Amino acid sequence: MMLTDSRRRGFIGGNLLASDPSQSPTPALACSENWGSKLGCILAVAGSAVGLGNFLRFPGQAALNGGGVFMVPYFVSLLLLGIPICWVEWSMGRYGGTKGFNSAPGIFSVLWRHPISKYFGALALIVPVGIYMYYVYIEAWCLAYAWDYLSGKMSRLSDPTSAETYKKHFSTFVGESSNGFLLRGSLQESVVFLVIVFIVNFIFIYRGLTKGIELFVKIAMPLLILCAVVVLVRVLTLGTPDPAYPERNINNALGFMWNPKVAPGASIWTPLKDPQIWLAAAGQIFFSLSVGFGIILNYASYLRKDDDVVLSGLTASSTNEFCEVCLGGMITLPVAFLFLAPTDLTPEVITSGFKLGFIALPTVFARMPIGDLFGAIWYFMLFAAAITSSLSMLQPAIAFFEEGFGMGRRVSVTCLGLMTAIGGLLVVYFSKDSLALSTMDFWIGTVCIFILATVQVITVGWIFGVDRAREESKRGAAMQIPQIFWFIIKYVSPVYLLLIFGCWCYQSIPNEINKIRELHPDDRGTVLLTLSFIVILLVFFGMLVNLAGKRWKAEGRI
């Protein structure tokens, strides 16, 4: 839509998979689309990072891993992984854009002149597309809950102050009891809102980068922060909700989240000897900043040649950290501490974003003065955070279809709409215990992200070279990346990533395999079917990248 008609005429229809690429028209021109403003780009990148992980996952991880103690490995991971990889992705993306590529396979091809490089770029397509297939469903839950609070439906539930009420409500809402439940008879509420959210997403995606995504985030990001601040102010002014429990005041509530938790007589540094806390912190940073997703690579490729990547990357990261630490960390668990009994605030609830966000917090809003209003604001804020993320997830694949096969935006969006609808249907149909959703989240949303982040930092640090990357980042920069960070990018980040990924695989993958073995045969079938779908995605995108690579080579672009 926002791309000029001269970009790649003649690659549509019968020429799409031409057997003789050498007969293709003249080499495709670089995409002429750019961000309308630096602010729009920064907000778009920040919006892709700010999501449900900031407001639900981060508080749970911090509380379970020692509160204030967790912040030590968290900020270490931010400095050694998050910010360096963020700068790497911004620099890689802009460099690829100046060479005429907006897709990760093309960007990897110009960074590393080897035939295999473009296949690593395929991971940057699979990750956001795969995550979108289930993330948009969770996004629909948030909008549905906001509507239910606004309409008064939540307050009309039987015994609305009981956590058991919301547990049963959520289980029915997402069809945890059996596969196919959500599609039996009349469509369930969660599916109706999924269709609504799916349509809204594609309306903005179809409109393009500047008139769709950028326009939306310029409105949604300030609105999101405003809603979060309104809820935060309400939380900080709650005082002591129940005079019978004077210890449940806002000071102790914030202390529950932030005070370092150590065993009696132990040093504050003792928990830091546990590698699990470092693994949890590193994982949270990836979720927080959206590094390793392939989205920043694509977004940065639309920057102009002399647009700043250093300050822009730092600003986007800072915006995300403000939303996570200052807003998410001061709302979710503190308000739960104020209203919930200790028996309700168990480690299982704290660490499960679903249970914390859709079971525990509704119990809180039921006990809070004007709870329906603040419940509606809270879930609308979660929806805004989720949609700013989901809008970004298909743009990398759209760019690949456009420059790899000459598809127009309309055709690209339609193809991805059909593909993600199939994946979404898989998640909706196999809803029992959310097995399909959790399987996709683990293998695509965790394993593939770690692999992609590791490949990116090694590519820039050791193949493209830190000297060239440093010169690339300097162009148009209002500030320079401190010298120490180039040492970190080349040596520290790769070692840290490989060590964390190795330990994580050692601890987590055997557990996942054992869990699959222990499942009921029907449930095991669901997991294996989902894994087969992921493998099909890998093969499919691998084949497409191979075809696109042949065309680019014939055109002399790589």
Side-chain angles (χ1 to χ4, degrees):
M1 291 291 292
M2 291 302 299
L3 303 174
T4 60
D5 291 336
S6 62
R7 56 192 173 180
R8 281 179 280 281
R9 292 186 185 274
F11 289 90
I12 303 177
N15 289 332
L16 181 61
L17 300 177
S19 59
D20 185 7
S22 64
Q23 301 302 314
S24 301
T26 55
L29 298 174
C31 171
S32 63
E33 188 173 19
N34 296 109
W35 294 104
S37 65
K38 289 183 179 179
L39 176 63
C41 178
I42 291 170
L43 288 178
V45 174
S48 72
V50 174
L52 301 178
N54 299 85
F55 298 98
L56 298 181
R57 190 179 190 275
F58 168 74
Q61 289 293 317
L64 187 71
N65 289 284
V69 175
F70 177 78
M71 301 313 294
V72 175
Y74 177 85
F75 282 116
V76 169
S77 296
L78 176 65
L79 292 174
L80 299 185
L81 294 179
I83 292 177
I85 297 176
C86 176
W87 276 331
V88 161
E89 291 190 337
W90 277 79
S91 300
M92 287 174 66
R94 190 184 65 175
Y95 179 82
T98 62
K99 301 300 181 182
F101 286 104
N102 302 114
S103 69
I107 293 170
F108 269 89
S109 295
V110 297
L111 287 168
W112 179 14
R113 299 287 181 172
H114 191 283
I116 199 175
S117 63
K118 59 182 177 289
Y119 296 104
F120 289 115
L123 275 177
L125 306 177
I126 295 163
V127 168
V129 169
I131 292 175
Y132 181 88
M133 292 176 181
Y134 62 87
Y135 192 86
V136 73
Y137 186 38
I138 304 172
E139 184 180 308
W141 301 351
C142 299
L143 183 60
Y145 268 53
W147 171 254
D148 287 346
Y149 270 108
L150 197 61
S151 64
K153 178 179 178 179
M154 298 298 276
S155 60
R156 292 194 296 270
L157 294 175
S158 60
D159 195 6
T161 61
S162 169
E164 192 64 29
T165 296
Y166 294 103
K167 183 177 180 180
K168 292 179 180 178
H169 174 75
F170 179 71
S171 179
T172 302
F173 180 75
V174 300
E176 286 186 331
S177 59
S178 63
N179 292 329
F181 171 80
L182 295 173
L183 300 179
R184 292 174 191 160
S186 58
L187 289 180
Q188 303 297 314
E189 183 185 25
S190 60
V191 180
V192 172
F193 275 91
L194 172 61
V195 173
I196 293 172
V197 168
F198 205 82
I199 293 172
V200 170
N201 270 268
F202 274 88
I203 287 174
F204 284 101
I205 293 170
Y206 175 80
R207 286 174 58 84
L209 199 70
T210 53
K211 290 186 177 180
I213 297 173
E214 183 175 354
L215 177 65
F216 182 83
V217 296
K218 281 184 175 180
I219 299 171
M221 282 300 293
L223 184 61
L224 180 162
I225 294 174
L226 176 62
C227 289
V229 169
V230 168
V231 177
L232 176 61
V233 170
R234 184 69 189 102
V235 171
L236 295 178
T237 55
L238 281 171
T240 305
D242 190 344
Y245 299 95
E247 70 279 2
R248 291 192 191 176
N249 54 62
I250 188 60
N251 290 333
N252 289 338
L254 294 174
F256 175 77
M257 175 70 193
W258 294 110
N259 287 347
K261 298 178 180 65
V262 296
S267 165
I268 191 175
W269 304 108
T270 301
L272 297 178
K273 297 177 183 179
D274 182 2
Q276 183 58 41
I277 192 174
W278 294 88
L279 293 174
Q284 182 60 38
I285 287 297
F286 281 108
F287 279 94
S288 298
L289 299 184
S290 284
V291 293
F293 281 64
I295 295 171
I296 297 176
L297 274 181
N298 171 252
Y299 273 12
S301 72
Y302 294 106
L303 292 170
R304 297 173 179 84
K305 184 177 180 180
D306 294 321
D307 281 348
D308 190 339
V309 296
V310 180
L311 188 59
S312 296
L314 189 61
T315 303
S317 299
S318 301
T319 302
N320 175 78
E321 288 305 302
F322 169 75
C323 290
E324 178 158 290
V325 178
C326 299
L327 297 179
M330 295 180 68
I331 295 176
T332 311
L333 278 182
V335 75
F337 174 86
L338 285 173
F339 287 92
L340 297 183
T343 53
D344 293 330
L345 207 57
T346 63
E348 182 185 10
V349 169
I350 290 174
T351 55
S352 170
F354 295 162
K355 292 182 179 179
L356 181 63
F358 297 96
I359 297 175
L361 288 184
T363 310
V364 169
F365 292 124
R367 302 175 185 181
M368 180 187 293
I370 325 179
D372 280 359
L373 173 62
F374 286 100
I377 294 173
W378 171 256
Y379 285 105
F380 180 79
M381 183 272 297
L382 289 182
F383 166 70
I387 195 171
T388 56
S389 296
S390 63
L391 284 179
S392 67
M393 291 177 186
L394 298 186
Q395 183 60 33
I398 291 171
F400 171 68
F401 286 151
E402 287 179 339
E403 70 186 23
F405 303 104
M407 292 183 179
R409 190 172 189 90
R410 180 181 298 177
V411 177
S412 301
V413 171
T414 301
C415 289
L416 284 169
L418 293 173
M419 186 188 306
T420 53
I422 293 171
L425 183 62
L426 181 74
V427 172
V428 169
Y429 185 84
F430 293 99
S431 58
K432 183 182 177 184
D433 298 327
S434 301
L435 277 176
L437 190 156
S438 59
T439 301
M440 293 181 72
D441 183 50
F442 178 79
W443 292 102
I444 297 180
T446 304
V447 176
C448 289
I449 287 174
F450 265 99
I451 295 173
L452 179 58
T454 304
V455 169
Q456 286 180 161
V457 77
I458 291 175
T459 299
V460 169
W462 290 91
I463 299 173
F464 185 72
V466 293
D467 291 336
R468 294 174 65 190
R470 183 189 299 113
E471 292 304 312
E472 173 64 25
S473 68
K474 284 181 180 179
R475 193 174 63 249
M479 60 173 285
Q480 294 187 17
I481 297 175
Q483 186 64 31
I484 185 62
F485 276 98
W486 294 110
F487 176 84
I488 291 172
I489 288 169
K490 185 169 185 177
Y491 297 104
V492 180
S493 295
V495 173
Y496 196 179
L497 276 168
L498 290 171
L499 181 63
I500 288 174
F501 187 62
C503 292
W504 179 81
C505 288
Y506 178 78
Q507 291 187 357
S508 298
I509 291 183
N511 291 337
E512 290 296 317
I513 294 174
N514 288 333
K515 287 179 183 177
I516 294 174
R517 289 174 177 170
E518 294 169 0
L519 288 173
H520 183 276
D522 291 343
D523 296 336
R524 191 183 308 127
T526 297
V527 173
L528 294 177
L529 177 64
T530 307
L531 289 174
S532 299
F533 179 74
I534 294 171
V535 171
I536 291 171
L537 273 183
L538 289 167
V539 173
F540 175 72
F541 275 106
M543 293 172 61
L544 291 182
V545 167
N546 181 59
L547 291 171
K550 289 179 179 180
R551 182 174 296 280
W552 293 334
K553 186 175 181 179
E555 295 172 354
R557 301 183 68 192
I558 60 174

